[in-house]
Amino acid sequence: MSEAKRSSLPGTGIDPELIANSILRRAFKEKIAVSPMKLQKLMFFITCLYQRNTGHRLLTESFQPWRYGPVCGAVYGEFKSFGGNPITEYAKDAMVAVGFLFGSSAKSGS
């Protein structure tokens, strides 16, 4: 989808870290390892499907074209410390916003 068409989608979108935490919550529950790169790809496909099916913006931030695929900068910054290893914690900024959804700890096992 072109940048002009993407920016013309209705809606303000939601914080990308909330979507990341939603993906991680399911992955932790089902004991599926998710690396930062896998999370980026899942988020990109989810965003594309949502926008195609609803005609509305999903995220407040657009993906950037990087060498190994599209990247959401906020999510990259949050999880880059994991490198190629599985993510073991939720996004902290989103945890503050909706901590009641995930309990009091940002750890996956809590």
Side-chain angles (χ1 to χ4, degrees), residues 38-108:
K38 186 174 187 177
L39 179 62
Q40 292 284 350
K41 293 183 185 308
L42 287 168
M43 287 189 59
F44 181 74
F45 289 125
I46 289 167
T47 300
C48 289
L49 287 171
Y50 178 86
Q51 291 178 175
R52 184 182 70 193
N53 291 332
T54 67
H56 288 82
R57 176 185 308 279
L58 177 62
L59 303 176
T60 56
E61 182 178 324
S62 295
F63 284 87
Q64 305 163 5
W66 284 24
R67 182 176 182 181
Y68 296 108
V71 170
C72 178
V75 173
Y76 173 80
E78 185 70 38
F79 296 109
K80 68 181 177 182
S81 64
F82 289 97
N85 300 313
I87 297 169
T88 58
E89 297 180 4
Y90 293 108
K92 289 172 187 57
D93 288 344
M95 290 298 295
V96 172
V98 291
F100 63 91
L101 290 177
F102 301 103
S104 61
S105 175
K107 295 278 186 189
S108 65

